[in-house]
Amino acid sequence: QVQLVESGGGLVQPGGSLRLSCVASGSIFNAMGWYRQAPGKQRELVAAITRGGSANYADSVKGRFTISRDNAKNTVYLQMNSLKPEDTALYYCHARAILLDYWGQGTQVIVSS
């Protein structure tokens, strides 16, 4: 049974930092990443990383967010710096195993003064 468990969300002031973590279990995952969904908006890709370490980012977070993964621990991280109010959203961990997609329950990030 595949499980994705996120942690690390919270309330932070503009300009602050947060680090999200997602521990995956139950399979070997190729791509892993983070999506987010703000109220009234569609879910969007934030960042993704392959098992080999190749990463891609949404233009809105380039230079501020860094995705990384530890294959031995089946864990993906998202370091978020210089956070802005528009980064406020529910952040979902995503993992792909062969042709199947899996999602976490989401962790809330609120950027507000």
Side-chain angles (χ1 to χ4, degrees), residues 6 8 12 28 33-39 43 45 50 53 56 58 68 70 77 89 99 105-108 110:
E6 302 119 327
V12 64
I28 296 175
W34 294 91
Y35 286 69
R36 68 185 180 188
Q37 187 167 18
R43 189 175 297 189
L45 173 69
T50 66
N56 64 285
S68 61
D70 184 332
Y77 307 95
L99 296 178
Q105 292 297 309
T107 184
Q108 183 70 51
I110 300 173

Side-chain angles (χ1 to χ4, degrees), residues 61-96:
V61 307
K62 283 181 181 177
R64 300 188 298 122
F65 292 9
T66 302
I67 191 169
S68 61
R69 67 187 284 175
D70 184 332
N71 291 331
K73 297 180 179 179
N74 250 358
T75 301
V76 62
Y77 307 95
L78 185 68
Q79 178 66 44
M80 304 186 293
N81 299 328
S82 303
L83 282 160
K84 304 175 181 180
E86 51 263 43
D87 294 317
T88 295
L90 191 58
Y91 283 71
Y92 294 92
C93 179
H94 169 262
R96 174 166 291 179

Side-chain angles (χ1 to χ4, degrees), residues 1 4 6 8 14 17 23 31 36 55-56 59 70 72 76 84 92 101 109 112:
Q1 181 179 355
L4 304 180
E6 302 119 327
S17 297
V23 180
R36 68 185 180 188
N56 64 285
D59 287 343
D70 184 332
V76 62
K84 304 175 181 180
Y92 294 92
D101 291 306
V109 172
S112 175

Side-chain angles (χ1 to χ4, degrees), residues 5-66:
V5 180
E6 302 119 327
S7 61
L11 172 64
V12 64
Q13 291 188 342
S17 297
L18 283 174
R19 188 190 194 210
L20 306 183
S21 300
C22 172
V23 180
S25 60
S27 186
I28 296 175
F29 302 98
N30 299 319
M32 297 184 74
W34 294 91
Y35 286 69
R36 68 185 180 188
Q37 187 167 18
K41 294 188 176 182
Q42 289 188 329
R43 189 175 297 189
E44 62 175 1
L45 173 69
V46 177
I49 186 168
T50 66
R51 192 167 181 81
S54 295
N56 64 285
Y57 298 90
D59 287 343
S60 59
V61 307
K62 283 181 181 177
R64 300 188 298 122
F65 292 9
T66 302

